[in-house]
């Protein structure tokens, strides 16, 4: 310790004497003692009044010594007594005054009876010495270390107070503390630090107590993960949304992407339904920027992944969504659709914490269409036959008997949705071990997710292991290694897509699902969805993803760090689809109706990806200037291969390996491909006076997807921030703690096209046979484009951040324009060329939009805290350049219109009389009263392509989320709503055909047009016709919705109780996901994909769960 | 610790430097052939020629049959339906079906491949020049075959005799169908020179000289150039390679594939190249889908006791020939049978089924048929000869000989049926040839083309389509199954519409009238 210091003991001569008695060494030690509020009568009783403005600390201390018996002891080299202070207190305890005087300084203080010790050093040993030296009574001592709960770093300066007293200490530079006190019954320590959640922990006889403090999220000091680094939120100049991992991990959803719904303004997540173990969400950041892949780039701890399905929500520390070009340009050629950065939790130091979590949930369909009864169905079919001049299909007797329902196997009324869908169990178990020492920190999570599908015979099992290790090799050298392994296996009937088709199009309610003897009745097209589910065999895809990522950081000189990282990602996939050999016989006659033959498709694929990165990072502050500088290099390489083999006519359905199939007709195939990406990137930040913020990014990418000479692309971005709240003229407005303007501009790329597009290739496999033997053939199948290059997105953003009342209320608003040019597009080419269209840089799309996110959080008294969050965003999409419009069914892609636009005729209600039909433009030879009347837009007396127009778009507009949370004592309640203000969906297939194709018939069809019911909502039914089902606005639905997305009520047991049952923490909760949906959409969930109902439907889930920490 | 860093750091930086090379961005495909390497070896020419053959399938026999008055498409959404009943449209989205678009695309794909061979093969040196010529002949034939279908259906179409490498090169107007026909004949004449009369066993199914000659006859006949048509047909006859197979009912069986009557067919093989003729045509009771079923008009077209009726069509209440155990095929409305007319769109709409190409061997795997599909056979050539001979000089002896040869084969050993024709006027003979073509070549996809060629579609494809007779159970009255009501607009329906998308992408194209 320091030897040459000057000790100053003020005034009091008697006490001076006391100190002189002590040995010098003890004295030295004693001086470094600090921060103790000893419980002695004098310090608890003596009150001091001070009113001193712009005075030196020295004078204040004099005044205190003058007014009281207190005297100060300190090292003058440590304490700046000339510091100017203001103090205004009336009859206050010395402890309060010391807080006022030394708050936000590095000075530790201790009051020992009448002695006040000041020091910048740790004081614990000295305190003990002092106490023994003073001959004080034997005391209880507790010590430990305080660490940051999220980073695991030790925390100096944390205030520790014995509850109900003024006795307390402050942690030293390494986060250690030690506190001695006279034994009391049931002592409780209170740990507090600015910006962190205060914790109260009963001691229960322990002498060591290590504590992790959790950061209180209060905006300003929040640190946000950005590309290749972090940034204080307050210094952000781009548009970045940070989602706290804690908010995701609370939600028992199978996919992280589902938990992201409504969380971030400008990020629209649409759930298109999905089988267990699959992720079928569309994530769109700031609209639809291209005609190809619109998915954002997703990175987990710096490693690119194709989707979020291998990440467990509980592992996520936070998610950053980089929305504008300024923040995502550093990802250059792949960032045009936005970037999502997922950071997983890392180990903390200070003891090992083991957490077990689970939940059990029941899933069910969000919407079930209302279906007519079988007898109504038969009546409608008959009516449609008569309308088509056909014989009615069903006799009145059959209809009557069906209605009576007395012979369910002869005259059935089958509820197919009820039979095919079920309430399904979902459960998850997870174990997390977190902790370590200064030198070694680890975080291990293992979890298991089991999900039954709501569709019978479907389900999935997922296992995930994540191991994040940090090793401190020296003060300057840190090493880390992360391992993540995710295994996903799922199962479904082999002909699962047939099941949807069978249910809706092939099998009406008049078919018996299954006879008591186990046989099935087949519908008019020889199908039965239950039979397909139970007899068709299985499709079992399985995948394993392993990511190994190692990195080291070396601090070359202060502020200059080099980080090297090497990551390997291996994806192994295996899919076995076995089709059973089975036959259907007529239940009565036993005649063979249909035979299915057995076959097995067995495929293996592997994707190997490596990424080598080097980063040099420097930051420097001098006076009012702050510089940060980053330069990096990355080389990514990807190799994919797959083999598939097939055999048919198996020996037995029970023996499902290739060897048991017939060698006759066996086939196999194999492919491989590779790509690589070489990148240089950098960033410069400059901040002046914490007011003016400047950032510039660049990335220079070389991609193997393009021909030599067109490989390299440069993607720059610039952004500016101005913190008006730091300016003199706003500084005095007390309620406004943050006001910042942001401006950004940048360019991004998209290279996501197929591989080898610039090479003209010849495909083998155009085979033929001569004389009963196969011969190979080879031909060009697609036209190459040698000039192919990047898509370029230029995006500009203006934003404002407002923080009011110490960030109790925050508002973030943004407006942006995003232009994408040279969009890679396989634009239709004349078919006369005889080849598939090449990808060309031809399209252009413009997105303009705004985003608003606001949040209010506060406390009511000390028991209640609450938060209200709301975010909304909108994007307008317009195709600027496309070439010739392309029409596909009810969709059109056309310049000047939005993407995903509907296209068709405009309905003018129904024809009511034959005169009306005759007077109207010609539609179809069989048009008659009750049919939909289409508008003759060009008045040429014929309804054809020329009368079609754009009828809106299926792109959702005005996506919003509402987040409400209340904590009351140990209860926490959160409610989450999300919705889409404007959206359309197109219905097709059975939902609009019903009885006319012997299909699924919903109740709304009962209100069809008949001569007696001319005020109908549904056109007349004409058996096996399509003229009313043509693309028209009649079949477009308003699919805007408001969803009560999540409800969660949790209870955390009180500390005292936790302690008694020897655990650290326990929380139990009930949760509901997708509880209610308010929408005008009929029959289906409003997020249904337009078209036929050929997808696994959306589900809701009710669950209960538990988190226990040991 | 410093040492560790130094080693780590230096290794890392070295790795980065090594990786910096631009070579890392050069990736060559390993699962396909770059065109630069192609057109160098002898086998490349063979591979490229082989790749033309699947395009023969552009001629969809059963669907074309259902466009004619011989058959109907059972499912109203299938391709042949709107063509058969005249509601064909230029855009598939209007309910006019995808066929006009699909056929156009498939035909031009085949033409592109043929053009690639004709051009590319010149880069290859062959030790045996005749092999090179043969391959060229095959490609020339294929190009002719496809253009012929195109001009038959669409009239004037864009004509390309070289591969198109640039999109701009596709922006050409329509070439007149007569000019294309002239080019077709030119190509065929070359092909006739290059092609052999027949092949060894491993190459059987390749284009022969006879096929090129027969196609030439077809092309000329379509243009009403009877003399040229007659000469080409005569040339086929004079080759002496082809004869009528003795037994009509065995013509389309696995045992008789590649028989002496076959001039052009598409070859199939078990499991690896298969089609679904059985599931397309067979009744529901034996796992068929009844996609295309014969009409009453075709049933009535046969002369009494013509054995070809039984060889071609399954009539109501016949024993189902594909099932064991003498099961009666009963499509009678109200019978409750799975085959009951229109009980499902998988059941026949007329009460009849086709038998040609529906073979008992395929009953177990109805979608795995490999019976070769025949496009030109000798009987067709004989009838083409008879027809053109009659148009030139009336019913000559040669004309009678040709048609009577066909009738005699159909007659078989029985003498009381299908008497030899004689003593007809020119018009009478014309009628007789047309009737003979109808029944002899029924279910071979040719009738629709004949109707267009004879300009008789405007009467044949109009009005109600009927099926079987039956007794209505509720009334006890005899009734006839009615299927649909057809319409044919003479000013419009003799041609198919140019696909609407094609006109958008090539503004030099014009649409056919009234589309």
């Amino acid at each position: 310790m320091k030897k040459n210091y000057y000790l100053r003991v003020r005034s009091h001569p008697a006490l001076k004497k006391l100190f002189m008695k002590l040995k010098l060494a003890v004295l030295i030690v004693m001086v470094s003692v600090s921060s103790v509020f000893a419980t002695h009568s004098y310090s608890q009783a003596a009150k001091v009044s001070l009113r001193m403005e712009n005075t030196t600390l020295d004078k204040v201390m004099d005044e205190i010594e003058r007014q009281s018996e207190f005297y100060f002891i300190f090292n003058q080299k440590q304490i700046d007594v000339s510091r100017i202070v203001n103090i205004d207190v009336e009859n206050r305890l010395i402890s309060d005054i010391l807080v006022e005087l030394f708050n936000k300084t590095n000075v530790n203080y201790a009051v020992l009876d009448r002695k006040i010790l000041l020091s910048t050093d740790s004081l614990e040993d000295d305190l003990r010495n002092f106490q023994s030296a003073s001959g004080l009574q034997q005391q209880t001592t507790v010590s430990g270390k305080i660490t940051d709960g999220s980073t695991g770093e030790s925390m100096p300066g944390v205030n520790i107070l014995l509850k109900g007293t003024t006795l307390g200490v402050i942690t030293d530079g390494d986060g250690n503390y030690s506190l001695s006190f006279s034994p009391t019954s049931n002592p409780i320590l209170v740990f507090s630090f600015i910006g962190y959640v205060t914790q109260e922990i009963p001691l229960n006889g322990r002498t060591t107590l290590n504590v992790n403090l959790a950061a209180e999220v209060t905006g300003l000091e929040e640190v946000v993960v950005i590309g290749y680094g972090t940034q204080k939120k307050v210094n952000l100049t781009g548009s970045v949304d940070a989602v706290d991992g804690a908010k995701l991990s609370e939600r028992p959803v199978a996919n992280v992407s589902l938990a992201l719904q409504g969380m971030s303004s400008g990020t629209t997540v649409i759930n298109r339904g999905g089988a267990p173990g699959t992720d079928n969400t569309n994530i769109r950041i700031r609209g639809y920027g291209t005609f190809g892949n619109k998915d954002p780039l997703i990175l987990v701890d710096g490693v690119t992944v194709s989707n979020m399905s291998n990440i467990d929500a509980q592992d996520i520390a936070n998610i950053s969504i980089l929305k504008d070009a300024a923040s995502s340009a550093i990802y250059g050629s792949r960032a045009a659709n936005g970037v999502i950065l997922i950071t997983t939790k890392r180990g903390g130091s200070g003891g090992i914490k083991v957490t077990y979590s689970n939940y059990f949930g029941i899933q069910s369909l969000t919407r079930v269409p209302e279906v007519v009864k079988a007898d109504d169905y038969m009546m409608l079919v008959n009516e449609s036959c008569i309308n088509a001049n056909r014989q009615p299909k069903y006799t009145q007797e059959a209809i009557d008997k069906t209605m009576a329902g007395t012979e369910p196997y002869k005259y059935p009324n089958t509820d197919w949705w009820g039979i095919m869908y079920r309430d399904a169990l979902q459960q998850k178990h997870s174990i997390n071990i977190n902790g370590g020492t200064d030198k070694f920190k680890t975080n291990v999570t293992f979890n298991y997710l089991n999900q039954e599908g709501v569709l019978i015979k479907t389900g999935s099992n997922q296992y995930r292991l994540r191991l994040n290790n940090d090793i401190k090799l020296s003060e300057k050298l840190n090493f880390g290694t992360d391992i993540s392994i995710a295994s996903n296996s799922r199962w479904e009937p082999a002909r699962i897509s047939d099941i949807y088709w069978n249910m809706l199009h092939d099998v009406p309610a008049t078919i018996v699902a299954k006879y008591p003897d186990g046989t099935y009745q087949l519908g008019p097209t020889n199908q039965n969805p239950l039979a397909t589910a139970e007899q068709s065999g299985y499709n079992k895809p399985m995948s394993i993803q392993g990511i190994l990522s190692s990195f080291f950081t070396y601090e070359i000189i202060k502020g200059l760090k080099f980080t090297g990282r090497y990551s390997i990602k291996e994806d192994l996939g295996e899919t076995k689809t076995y089709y059973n050999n089975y036959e259907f016989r007529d239940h009565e006659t036993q005649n063979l109706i249909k035979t299915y033959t057995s076959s097995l498709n067995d495929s293996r694929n592997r994707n190997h990806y490596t990424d080598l990165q080097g980063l040099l990072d420097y930051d420097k502050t001098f006076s009012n200037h702050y510089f940060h500088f980053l330069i990096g290099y990355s080389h990514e390489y990807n190799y994919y291969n797959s083999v598939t083999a097939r055999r048919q006519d198996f020996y037995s359905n029970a023996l499902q390996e290739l060897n048991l199939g017939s060698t006759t007709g066996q086939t196999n195939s194999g492919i491989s491909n590779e790509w690589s990406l070489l990148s240089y990137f950098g960033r410069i930040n400059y901040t002046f006076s914490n007011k003016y913020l400047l950032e510039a990014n660049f990335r220079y990418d070389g991609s193997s997807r393009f021909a030599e000479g067109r490989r390299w692309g440069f993607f720059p971005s610039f952004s500016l921030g101005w913190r008006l709240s730091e300016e003199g003229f706003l500084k005095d407005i007390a309620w406004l703690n943050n006001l910042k303007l942001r401006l950004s501009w940048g360019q991004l790329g998209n290279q996501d096209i197929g591989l080898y597009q610039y090479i003209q290739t010849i495909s083998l496999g155009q085979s033929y046979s001569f004389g009963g033997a196969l011969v190979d053939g080879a031909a060009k199948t697609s036209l190459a484009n040698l000039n192919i290059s990047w898509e370029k997105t230029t995006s500009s953003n203006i934003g404002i951040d407002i923080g009011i009342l110490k960030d109790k209320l925050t508002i973030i608003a943004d407006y942006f324009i995003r232009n994408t040019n040279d969009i890679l597009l396989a634009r239709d080419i004349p078919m006369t060329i005889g080849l598939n269209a090449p990808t060309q840089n031809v399209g252009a799309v413009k997105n303009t939009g705004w985003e608003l996110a606001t949040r209010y959080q506060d406390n009511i008294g000390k028991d209640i805290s609450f938060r209200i969050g709301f975010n909304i965003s909108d994007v307008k999409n317009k195709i600027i350049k496309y070439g010739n419009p392309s029409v596909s069914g009810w969709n059109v892609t056309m310049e000047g219109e939005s993407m995903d636009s509907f296209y068709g005729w405009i309905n003018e209600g129904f024809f009511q009389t034959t005169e009306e039909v005759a007077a109207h433009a010609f539609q179809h030879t069989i048009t008659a009263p009750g049919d939909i009347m289409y508008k003759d837009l060009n008045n040429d007396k014929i309804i054809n392509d020329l009368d079609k127009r754009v009828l809106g778009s299926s792109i959702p507009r005005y996506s919003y989320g509402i987040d409400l949370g209340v904590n009351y004592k140990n209860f926490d309640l959160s409610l989450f709503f999300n919705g889409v203000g404007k959206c359309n969906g197109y219905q097709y297939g059975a939902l609009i055909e019903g009885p006319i194709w012997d299909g699924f018939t919903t109740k709304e069809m009962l209100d069809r047009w008949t001569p007696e019911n001319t005020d109908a909502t549904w056109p007349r039914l004409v058996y096996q016709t399509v003229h009313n089902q043509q693309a028209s606005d009649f079949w477009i639905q308003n699919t805007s919705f408001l969803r009560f997305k999540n409800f969660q009520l949790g209870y955390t047991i009180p500390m005292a109780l936790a302690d008694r049952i020897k655990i650290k923490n326990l929380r139990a909760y009930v949760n509901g996901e997708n509880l209610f949906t308010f929408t005008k959409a009929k029959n289906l969930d409003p997020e249904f994909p337009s078209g036929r109902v050929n997808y696994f439907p959306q589900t809701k889930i009710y669950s209960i769960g538990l988190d226990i920490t040991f | 610790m410093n040492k560790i860093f130094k080693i780590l750091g230096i290794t890392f930086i070295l790795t980065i430097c090594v990786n910096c090379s631009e070579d890392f961005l050069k990736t060559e495909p390993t699962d396909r052939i770059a065109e630069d390497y192609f057109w160098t070896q002898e086998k490349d020419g063979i591979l490229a020629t082989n790749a033309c053959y699947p395009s023969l399938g552009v001629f969809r026999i059963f669907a074309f049959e259902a466009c004619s008055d011989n058959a109907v498409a059972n499912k109203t959404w299938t391709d042949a339906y709107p063509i058969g009943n005249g509601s064909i449209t230029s855009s598939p989205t209007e309910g006019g079906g995808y066929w006009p678009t699909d056929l156009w695309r498939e035909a031009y794909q085949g033409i592109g491949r043929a053009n690639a061979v004709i051009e590319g093969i010149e880069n290859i040196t062959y030790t045996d020049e005749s092999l090179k010529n043969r391959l060229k002949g095959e490609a020339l034939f294929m190009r002719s075959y496809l253009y012929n279908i195109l001009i038959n259906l669409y009239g004037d179409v864009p004509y390309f005799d070289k591969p198109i490498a640039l999109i701009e090169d596709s922006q050409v107007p329509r070439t007149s169908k007569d000019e294309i026909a002239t080019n077709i004949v030119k190509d065929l004449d070359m092909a006739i020179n290059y092609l052999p009369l027949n092949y060894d066993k491993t190459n059987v199914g390749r284009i022969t000289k006879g096929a090129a000659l027969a196609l030439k006859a077809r092309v000329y006949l379509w243009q009403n150039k009877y003399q040229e048509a007659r000469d080409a047909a005569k040339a086929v006859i004079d080759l002496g390679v082809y004869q009528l197979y003795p037994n009509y009912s065995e013509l389309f069986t696995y045992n008789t594939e590649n028989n002496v009557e076959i001039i052009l067919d598409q070859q199939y093989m078990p499991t690896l190249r298969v089609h679904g003729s059985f599931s397309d045509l067979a009744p529901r009771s034996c796992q068929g889908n009844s996609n295309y079923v014969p009409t009453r008009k075709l049933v009535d077209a046969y002369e009494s006791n013509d054995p070809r009726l039984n060889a071609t069509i399954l009539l109501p209440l016949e024993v189902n020939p594909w099932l064991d155990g003498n099961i009666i095929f009963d499509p009678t409305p109200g019978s409750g049978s799975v085959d009951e007319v229109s009980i499902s769109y998988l059941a026949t709409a007329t009460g009849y089924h086709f038998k040609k190409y529906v073979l008992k061997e395929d009953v177990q795997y109805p979608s795995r048929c490999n019976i070769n599909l025949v496009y030109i056979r000798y009987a067709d050539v004989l009838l083409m000869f008879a027809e053109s001979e009659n148009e030139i000089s009336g019913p000559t002896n040669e004309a009678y000989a040709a048609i009577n040869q066909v009738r005699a084969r159909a007659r078989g050993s029985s003498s009381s049926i299908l008497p030899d024709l004689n003593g007809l006027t020119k018009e009478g003979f014309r009628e007789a040839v047309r009737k003979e073509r109808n029944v002899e070549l029924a279910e071979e996809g040719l009738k629709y083309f004949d109707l267009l060629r004879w300009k008789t579609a405007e009467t044949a494809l109009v009005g109600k389509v009927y099926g079987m007779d039956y007794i209505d159970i509720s009334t006890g009255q005899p009734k006839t199954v009615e299927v649909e009501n057809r319409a044919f607009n003479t000013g419009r329906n003799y041609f198919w519409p140019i696909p609407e998308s094609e006109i958008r992408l090539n503004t030099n194209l014009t649409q056919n009238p009234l589309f």
Side-chain angles (χ1 to χ4, degrees), chain A residues 50-223:
Chain A
L50 296 166
R51 177 172 287 231
M52 303 174 84
E53 278 187 27
N54 287 325
T55 323
T56 59
L57 178 62
D58 202 44
K59 287 205 173 121
V60 176
M61 295 199 290
D62 284 341
E63 179 62 18
I64 293 170
E65 289 177 345
R66 196 187 61 75
Q67 281 191 26
S68 65
E69 295 172 28
F70 292 114
Y71 59 95
F72 289 90
I73 307 170
F74 60 95
N75 178 346
Q76 261 188 333
K77 281 198 172 159
Q78 289 184 336
I79 310 300
D80 177 12
V81 293
S82 62
R83 184 163 61 92
I84 304 293
V85 294
N86 294 308
I87 186 133
D88 183 2
V89 292
E90 193 86 35
N91 282 332
R92 298 281 289 277
L93 289 171
I94 190 67
S95 54
D96 292 340
I97 294 168
L98 289 172
V99 168
E100 287 261 13
L101 283 175
F102 297 107
N103 188 21
K104 290 184 177 169
T105 69
N106 59 347
V107 176
N108 300 321
Y109 48 87
V111 183
L112 297 159
D113 191 22
R114 288 164 177 78
K115 306 170 280 290
I116 301 171
L117 278 75
L118 303 177
S119 172
T120 54
D121 295 326
S122 166
L123 302 172
E124 54 179 274
D125 293 343
D126 316 65
L127 180 66
R128 252 196 311 281
N129 288 336
F130 179 81
Q131 282 163 346
S132 52
S134 335
L136 296 171
Q137 66 174 107
Q138 196 53 49
Q139 294 200 322
T140 308
T141 301
V142 57
S143 60
K145 181 166 178 145
I146 313 295
T147 46
D148 183 318
S150 55
T151 65
E153 280 170 17
S154 53
M155 293 179 62
V158 177
N159 219 318
I160 297 141
L161 189 75
L162 181 67
K163 198 174 179 179
T165 72
T166 52
L167 180 67
V169 289
I170 290 176
T171 53
D172 64 14
D174 294 323
N176 295 315
Y177 74 96
S178 176
L179 177 64
S180 304
F181 52 92
S182 330
T184 54
S185 67
N186 220 352
I188 294 174
L189 293 189
V190 181
F191 299 81
S192 62
F193 190 75
I194 292 170
Y196 284 74
V197 181
T198 300
Q199 283 195 34
E200 293 187 13
I201 302 176
L203 215 47
N204 289 10
R206 284 176 288 194
T207 54
T208 308
L209 182 56
N210 297 321
V211 177
N212 284 313
L213 286 188
E216 206 166 37
V217 185
T218 56
L220 280 182
E221 292 308 304
E222 207 181 321
V223 167

Side-chain angles (χ1 to χ4, degrees), chain B residues 53 56 137-138 141-142 195-196 199 205-209 211-212 264:
Chain B
Y53 275 84
L56 285 169
E138 289 172 65
F141 174 90
M142 216 55 81
L195 290 168
Y199 291 90
R206 287 191 185 274
I207 309 297
T208 58
K209 189 188 290 277
L264 176 70

Side-chain angles (χ1 to χ4, degrees), chain A residues 390-391 393 473-474 477 479 505-506 522-526 552 554 562-566 586 591-595 597-598 612-614 633 635 648-649 664-667 670-678 680 702-704 708 711-712 755-756 758-762 764 766-781 783 828-835 838 840 884-889 905 943-945 948 997 1023-1024 1026 1030, chain B residues 1-2 4-5 8-9 12-13 15-16 19-22 24-36 38-39 46-51 53-54 56 74 76-77 87 90-91 93-95 98 101 104-105 108-109 112-113 138 158 160 163-167 170-171 201-206 258 265-273 284-289 327 338 342-346 364-365 368 470 472 479 483 499-502 504-506:
Chain A
R390 286 173 181 250
Q391 294 268 353
K393 241 182 179 177
L473 293 172
S474 76
L477 184 60
F479 184 78
H505 297 88
D506 289 334
L522 298 188
T525 60
N526 299 341
F552 69 88
Y554 184 76
F562 179 81
T563 305
R565 179 188 280 273
Y566 185 66
D586 188 275
N591 286 342
L592 180 69
I593 297 175
K594 201 163 174 83
T595 317
T597 56
S598 58
L612 179 72
Q613 273 177 26
Y633 159 87
H635 174 235
Q648 56 191 22
D649 303 333
T664 314
Q666 60 180 353
T667 56
I671 59 160
S672 77
N673 55 53
E674 56 182 352
W675 58 259
S676 62
L677 189 68
L678 208 58
Y680 302 92
S703 168
S704 67
E708 220 169 332
R711 277 185 187 141
W712 290 91
L755 303 169
Y756 314 124
Y758 66 93
I759 301 172
Q760 182 68 64
T761 58
I762 306 266
L764 269 169
Q766 316 296 319
S767 49
Y768 191 74
S769 61
F770 291 114
L774 208 67
V775 294
D776 286 328
K780 241 194 263 192
T781 53
L783 198 60
D828 284 354
I829 59 171
M831 290 182 278
T832 46
I833 294 173
L835 299 171
Q840 305 176 63
N884 295 304
S886 84
V887 180
S888 151
W905 292 319
I943 300 297
N944 57 17
D945 268 6
K948 290 184 175 171
W997 290 102
Y1023 195 67
Q1024 297 208 351
V1026 295
Q1030 296 302 299
Chain B
M1 215 49 87
N2 259 343
I4 294 174
F5 168 69
L8 208 64
F12 198 84
I13 286 160
T15 325
I16 284 182
N19 276 5
C20 276
S21 155
E22 165 123 15
F24 278 83
L25 297 179
K26 276 185 197 151
T27 53
E28 293 270 342
T30 48
D31 56 1
R32 59 204 101 172
I33 309 161
E35 198 185 25
D36 301 350
F38 205 71
W39 302 117
I46 298 171
L47 288 169
T49 307
N50 292 347
Y53 275 84
L56 285 169
N74 227 32
T76 57
W77 66 89
S87 63
S90 61
S91 154
T93 53
E94 287 171 45
Y98 288 85
T101 311
W104 179 279
R105 185 182 55 245
Y108 276 104
Q109 184 194 52
R113 290 182 181 192
E138 289 172 65
F160 304 94
I164 308 173
L166 295 170
I167 295 167
S170 66
Q171 302 294 305
K201 224 180 148 193
T202 57
N203 283 302
V204 66
R206 287 191 185 274
N258 305 315
D265 63 2
Q266 171 152 225
Q267 301 256 319
Y268 288 89
M269 64 169 291
T271 52
L272 296 183
R273 255 186 65 74
R284 193 177 173 220
S285 54
C286 43
Q287 307 195 50
N289 294 327
I327 295 167
V338 291
S342 294
I343 187 80
S344 141
Y345 54 73
L346 299 183
Q364 197 186 355
Y365 304 123
R368 283 198 225 162
Y470 67 103
D472 188 328
K479 277 183 96 168
V483 185
E500 176 236 298
S501 61
E502 207 65 359
R504 271 194 285 107
L505 295 167
N506 177 0

